[in-house]
Amino acid sequence: MLKTWFEIPLWQRVITALILGVLTGWAWGPDAESIKWIGDFFIKAIKMLVVPLIFFSLVSGVAAIGDLRKLGAVGGRAMILFVVTGQIAVWLGLGLGTVLAPGAGVDTSAIQRGETPVPNETTAVDMILSIVPESPVQVMADVAVLPLIVFSLLIGIGILMAKEEGVPVQKVFDSGAVIMQKVTMIVMELTPFGVFALMAWVAGTLGLDALVSLAKLVGLNYLGCLLIIAFIYGGMIKFLAKLPVRDFFRGIVDAMAVSYSTASSNATLPVTLRCAERNLGVSNSVAAFVISLGATINMNGTAMYLGLATLFGAQIFGVDLSMGDYFLISILATLGAVGAAGIPGAGLIMMALVFGAVGVPLETIAFVAGVDRIMDMMRTTTNVSGDAAVATTVAVMTGEIDRGEMVSADDV
Ligand code: ASP
């Protein structure tokens, strides 16, 4: 019995758990919350991996790139892909919001109000300051991912600069990275149980009622995300990376299922890394570098949603937006997506940044908060798929991919 369980590929167990979780939630109703702790247990287990995994993998990844010029080539390409796809995503959200007008004719009194999160008062200067790690230990204790990335990058660069003398420390990080991959494999075995419990909880407590009044917005959020995944990422893999699109998506099924059920790019990070390296054949150095960075700053689902939600707010409250406002939204939504932490609900908080600048009432946040989770799940899946797509494409461009690994995605 146990043997047959482990013989089924993990991604098949995860997808089955996802479907069974939804069915169980719908049949069970709000009481399904009683098994949410199993999902929390799973999330805690993967969160435990985030700091040591980023630290060891990123330092060892940067050091493995070998020289500073190559590091610049990988980093530069990744940043270009992050920015270009981010802009396309925001304009897609703005386009969908303008053409299909989800907020037109919405009776605001009928909308179920969620709780308004405290508006985010972080300024651009605060954001810049927050990426400098004042104390690396503090940064690790707080699981502050962006300053941790900066610190790890610097250590990696230091190792490269130290040349021969840096080798002993590099070996420690290489071995730490391998150990963390093994620990990740153990934790991944919890995925089917965690995904089942989380899906049962969402389906059971949210129900369809909450969706009816906001159905159009939720539908457009899903449509926008699916378009990004299919066309931007599918196109990137097909035309830039020149790899089979089907194998790519099959290789990241685990990461997609985990991101969908946890709504957190950070919590999914260990899984995304493993999918990219093991199923897609991306080299450890490129995967660690691009995916750790991407999980924090590359959020196309969030960027698209911020554009869409701003139009939704403007429509329900009758705010007229000029073309200049559209450009302002496109910049702020991109910044908001970069600044949003890879945790559930981060995009919702970032709305305050965009809304305030173009005069959309912050009340909109309260309206959409009730259904945010179900939209968050889809935008997180988009964010995570984007990290994998960019890592794969950059790996192909810089010769850091082992195509033999990718073909074997069938036996994941
Ligand atoms: N939950 C998303 C993520 O972790 C961020 C968001 O709220 O849009 O990627």
Side-chain angles (χ1 to χ4, degrees):
M1 165 93 179
L2 206 58
K3 193 160 164 263
T4 7
W5 171 258
F6 285 108
E7 269 167 8
I8 306 170
L10 186 60
W11 69 271
Q12 289 178 8
R13 283 182 273 153
V14 171
I15 295 277
T16 313
L18 195 136
I19 296 167
L20 288 179
V22 173
L23 295 177
T24 310
W26 273 337
W28 199 357
D31 286 344
E33 184 151 17
S34 60
I35 57 164
K36 180 175 174 264
W37 69 269
I38 303 174
D40 293 338
F41 183 92
F42 165 64
I43 294 179
K44 275 185 93 171
I46 33 182
K47 273 195 179 157
M48 158 187 91
L49 305 172
V50 170
V51 168
L53 193 69
I54 293 186
F55 189 46
F56 283 112
S57 309
L58 199 50
V59 173
S60 124
V62 170
I65 288 182
D67 68 88
L68 291 173
R69 195 154 351 119
K70 187 141 184 226
L71 182 67
V74 172
R77 283 175 172 81
M79 288 309 283
I80 291 174
L81 288 173
F82 288 165
V83 172
V84 172
T85 54
Q87 274 300 305
I88 301 177
V90 187
W91 284 100
L92 174 68
L94 289 172
L96 288 175
T98 308
V99 177
L100 300 169
V106 171
D107 175 4
T108 44
S109 62
I111 298 176
Q112 185 195 338
R113 285 172 182 251
E115 264 175 47
T116 318
V118 194
N120 185 320
E121 281 174 3
T122 337
T123 62
V125 175
D126 290 338
M127 252 162 89
I128 295 171
L129 284 179
S130 70
I131 63 171
V132 186
E134 200 170 336
S135 147
V137 178
Q138 182 77 44
V139 159
M140 289 185 192
D142 293 346
V143 197
V145 179
L146 208 50
L148 176 63
I149 290 177
V150 172
F151 180 67
S152 311
L153 280 178
L154 287 174
I155 299 284
I157 292 172
I159 291 177
L160 283 180
M161 292 169 72
K163 301 209 167 88
E164 251 90 273
E165 280 175 290
V167 173
V169 172
Q170 182 177 354
K171 286 213 169 108
V172 172
F173 279 97
D174 289 346
S175 139
V178 174
I179 294 169
M180 286 314 300
Q181 283 163 16
K182 301 288 175 212
V183 179
T184 305
M185 263 172 65
I186 303 172
V187 173
M188 285 290 293
E189 287 301 329
L190 296 174
T191 315
F193 307 101
V195 167
F196 172 81
L198 289 170
M199 291 315 295
W201 163 63
V202 171
T205 53
L206 198 58
L208 286 179
D209 296 353
L211 290 187
V212 176
S213 57
L214 288 165
K216 242 177 152 180
L217 180 68
V218 174
L220 282 187
N221 172 76
Y222 272 69
L223 176 66
C225 285
L226 289 173
L227 289 175
I228 295 176
I229 294 177
F231 293 104
I232 306 187
Y233 303 155
M236 200 192 290
I237 294 299
K238 190 168 170 83
F239 299 110
L240 287 182
K242 299 200 168 45
L243 291 173
V245 177
R246 204 169 136 258
D247 286 352
F248 168 77
F249 284 115
R250 188 179 301 170
I252 61 164
V253 163
D254 291 351
M256 288 175 105
V258 172
S259 53
Y260 191 72
S261 51
T262 60
S264 167
S265 303
N266 277 1
T268 314
L269 186 94
V271 188
T272 325
L273 269 178
R274 186 167 173 270
C275 287
E277 289 172 19
R278 226 194 91 170
N279 306 346
L280 304 177
V282 175
S283 78
N284 168 269
S285 58
V286 168
F289 182 42
V290 177
I291 292 176
S292 309
L293 201 62
T296 324
I297 67 169
N298 179 42
M299 298 200 176
N300 296 335
T302 307
M304 187 282 302
Y305 178 66
L306 286 174
L308 177 65
T310 312
L311 290 191
F312 178 75
Q315 285 155 5
I316 60 174
F317 287 106
V319 179
D320 278 329
L321 297 174
S322 65
M323 203 54 207
D325 288 331
Y326 271 60
F327 279 103
L328 192 58
I329 297 170
S330 85
I331 295 169
L332 291 175
T334 314
L335 286 180
V338 170
I343 55 170
L348 189 70
I349 296 168
M350 281 299 159
M351 285 181 180
L353 177 96
V354 190
F355 290 2
V358 291
V360 169
L362 292 185
E363 277 283 275
T364 313
I365 304 179
F367 291 157
V368 297
V371 287
D372 186 64
R373 174 82 191 193
I374 196 139
M375 294 191 282
D376 194 3
M377 290 162 40
M378 192 64 211
R379 33 178 219 263
T380 310
T381 305
T382 313
N383 297 343
V384 165
S385 311
D387 300 335
V390 172
T392 309
T393 307
V394 172
V396 169
M397 288 172 163
T398 51
E400 293 278 340
I401 196 155
D402 178 350
R403 289 177 188 229
E405 294 266 341
M406 186 158 179
V407 179
S408 65
D410 264 338
D411 33 67
V412 174

